[in-house]
Amino acid sequence: MINQLSVIIPVYNSEPTIVKLVQECAAELGTDYSSVEFVLVNDGSSDGSHESLLNLLSIRADYDIKYLNLTRNFGEHNAVMC
C-alpha cells in the first residue's frame, strides 16, 4: 500500500461540481492510501467556485486540502504548475 497521494485539481467555474468531485475522489482513494491531499487551484473563476472551496475547507474530513486562489485566469497548465 502506498502511503501518500497528492491530487492537483485546477478549478475554473466549477461551482456545481467541485465539492462532490473532491468528496467522491477522497472516498475512493481513501481505501488505497493512508493519506490523501487535494491541492485545489482556483484559476480566476467568475462563478461561486471560490465560496464553494472555502466551504469545503471548513468541512472536517479525513483528507487534507490546500487551496490557492489565483488573481485572474492564467490557464489550466499554469494553474497546475502553480
Short mmCIF file of all heavy atoms in Angstrom, two decimals, residues 2-3 13 26 29 33-34 43 51 57 68-70 72 77:
data_model
loop_
_atom_site.label_atom_id
_atom_site.label_comp_id
_atom_site.label_asym_id
_atom_site.label_seq_id
_atom_site.Cartn_x
_atom_site.Cartn_y
_atom_site.Cartn_z
N ILE A 2 0.60 2.16 -0.92
CA ILE A 2 1.32 3.42 -0.98
C ILE A 2 0.80 4.31 0.13
O ILE A 2 -0.40 4.38 0.39
CB ILE A 2 1.14 4.09 -2.36
CG1 ILE A 2 1.72 3.20 -3.45
CG2 ILE A 2 1.78 5.47 -2.39
CD1 ILE A 2 1.45 3.67 -4.84
N ASN A 3 1.70 5.04 0.78
CA ASN A 3 1.30 5.82 1.94
C ASN A 3 0.57 7.11 1.63
O ASN A 3 -0.41 7.43 2.27
CB ASN A 3 2.53 6.14 2.80
CG ASN A 3 3.05 4.91 3.47
OD1 ASN A 3 2.33 3.96 3.67
ND2 ASN A 3 4.32 4.93 3.80
N ASN A 13 -14.66 27.83 -12.87
CA ASN A 13 -16.12 27.86 -12.97
C ASN A 13 -16.72 26.46 -12.73
O ASN A 13 -17.49 25.95 -13.53
CB ASN A 13 -16.57 28.42 -14.33
CG ASN A 13 -16.24 29.89 -14.46
OD1 ASN A 13 -16.03 30.59 -13.47
ND2 ASN A 13 -16.19 30.38 -15.68
N ALA A 26 -12.00 11.45 -2.68
CA ALA A 26 -11.48 11.11 -1.36
C ALA A 26 -12.02 9.78 -0.87
O ALA A 26 -11.27 8.97 -0.31
CB ALA A 26 -11.81 12.23 -0.36
N LEU A 29 -10.27 7.03 -3.06
CA LEU A 29 -8.83 6.91 -2.86
C LEU A 29 -8.46 6.58 -1.42
O LEU A 29 -7.40 6.01 -1.17
CB LEU A 29 -8.14 8.21 -3.28
CG LEU A 29 -8.24 8.56 -4.76
CD1 LEU A 29 -7.75 9.98 -5.00
CD2 LEU A 29 -7.47 7.56 -5.60
N TYR A 33 -4.93 4.54 0.06
CA TYR A 33 -3.82 5.37 0.54
C TYR A 33 -4.06 5.73 2.00
O TYR A 33 -5.18 5.98 2.42
CB TYR A 33 -3.70 6.65 -0.29
CG TYR A 33 -3.42 6.37 -1.74
CD1 TYR A 33 -4.46 6.25 -2.65
CD2 TYR A 33 -2.13 6.21 -2.19
CE1 TYR A 33 -4.22 5.97 -3.98
CE2 TYR A 33 -1.87 5.93 -3.52
CZ TYR A 33 -2.91 5.81 -4.42
OH TYR A 33 -2.66 5.54 -5.73
N SER A 34 -2.98 5.81 2.75
CA SER A 34 -3.12 6.18 4.17
C SER A 34 -3.33 7.68 4.33
O SER A 34 -3.89 8.13 5.32
CB SER A 34 -1.90 5.72 4.95
OG SER A 34 -0.74 6.36 4.46
N ASP A 43 -8.56 29.05 -10.73
CA ASP A 43 -7.92 29.77 -11.83
C ASP A 43 -8.78 30.93 -12.31
O ASP A 43 -9.15 31.01 -13.47
CB ASP A 43 -7.62 28.79 -12.96
CG ASP A 43 -6.73 29.38 -14.04
OD1 ASP A 43 -6.00 30.34 -13.74
OD2 ASP A 43 -6.76 28.88 -15.18
N GLU A 51 -16.25 30.51 -3.21
CA GLU A 51 -17.05 30.31 -2.00
C GLU A 51 -17.26 28.82 -1.72
O GLU A 51 -17.19 28.38 -0.57
CB GLU A 51 -18.40 31.02 -2.12
CG GLU A 51 -18.31 32.54 -2.09
CD GLU A 51 -17.80 33.16 -3.40
OE1 GLU A 51 -17.78 32.46 -4.45
OE2 GLU A 51 -17.41 34.33 -3.37
N LEU A 57 -13.22 23.81 2.65
CA LEU A 57 -12.13 23.90 3.62
C LEU A 57 -12.63 23.81 5.06
O LEU A 57 -11.91 23.35 5.95
CB LEU A 57 -11.37 25.22 3.45
CG LEU A 57 -10.45 25.32 2.24
CD1 LEU A 57 -9.97 26.76 2.06
CD2 LEU A 57 -9.28 24.37 2.37
N LEU A 68 -5.36 27.39 -3.34
CA LEU A 68 -4.75 28.59 -3.89
C LEU A 68 -5.80 29.29 -4.74
O LEU A 68 -6.46 28.65 -5.57
CB LEU A 68 -3.55 28.24 -4.77
CG LEU A 68 -2.38 27.66 -4.00
CD1 LEU A 68 -2.14 26.25 -4.47
CD2 LEU A 68 -1.18 28.51 -4.22
N ASN A 69 -5.95 30.59 -4.57
CA ASN A 69 -6.91 31.38 -5.32
C ASN A 69 -6.13 32.37 -6.17
O ASN A 69 -5.62 33.37 -5.66
CB ASN A 69 -7.87 32.09 -4.37
CG ASN A 69 -8.99 32.78 -5.09
OD1 ASN A 69 -9.44 32.33 -6.14
ND2 ASN A 69 -9.45 33.89 -4.55
N LEU A 70 -6.00 32.10 -7.47
CA LEU A 70 -5.25 32.98 -8.35
C LEU A 70 -6.04 34.26 -8.61
O LEU A 70 -7.26 34.27 -8.61
CB LEU A 70 -4.94 32.26 -9.67
CG LEU A 70 -4.15 30.95 -9.55
CD1 LEU A 70 -3.88 30.36 -10.93
CD2 LEU A 70 -2.84 31.17 -8.80
N ARG A 72 -6.37 35.99 -11.29
CA ARG A 72 -7.08 36.02 -12.58
C ARG A 72 -6.89 34.66 -13.26
O ARG A 72 -6.19 33.80 -12.74
CB ARG A 72 -6.55 37.15 -13.47
CG ARG A 72 -5.11 36.97 -13.90
CD ARG A 72 -4.68 38.07 -14.88
NE ARG A 72 -3.30 37.93 -15.31
CZ ARG A 72 -2.89 37.13 -16.30
NH1 ARG A 72 -3.74 36.39 -16.97
NH2 ARG A 72 -1.61 37.07 -16.61
N HIS A 77 -2.83 24.88 -17.63
CA HIS A 77 -1.46 24.42 -17.45
C HIS A 77 -0.76 25.23 -16.35
O HIS A 77 -0.11 24.67 -15.47
CB HIS A 77 -0.68 24.53 -18.76
CG HIS A 77 0.76 24.18 -18.62
ND1 HIS A 77 1.18 22.87 -18.51
CD2 HIS A 77 1.87 24.94 -18.53
CE1 HIS A 77 2.50 22.84 -18.38
NE2 HIS A 77 2.93 24.10 -18.39
#
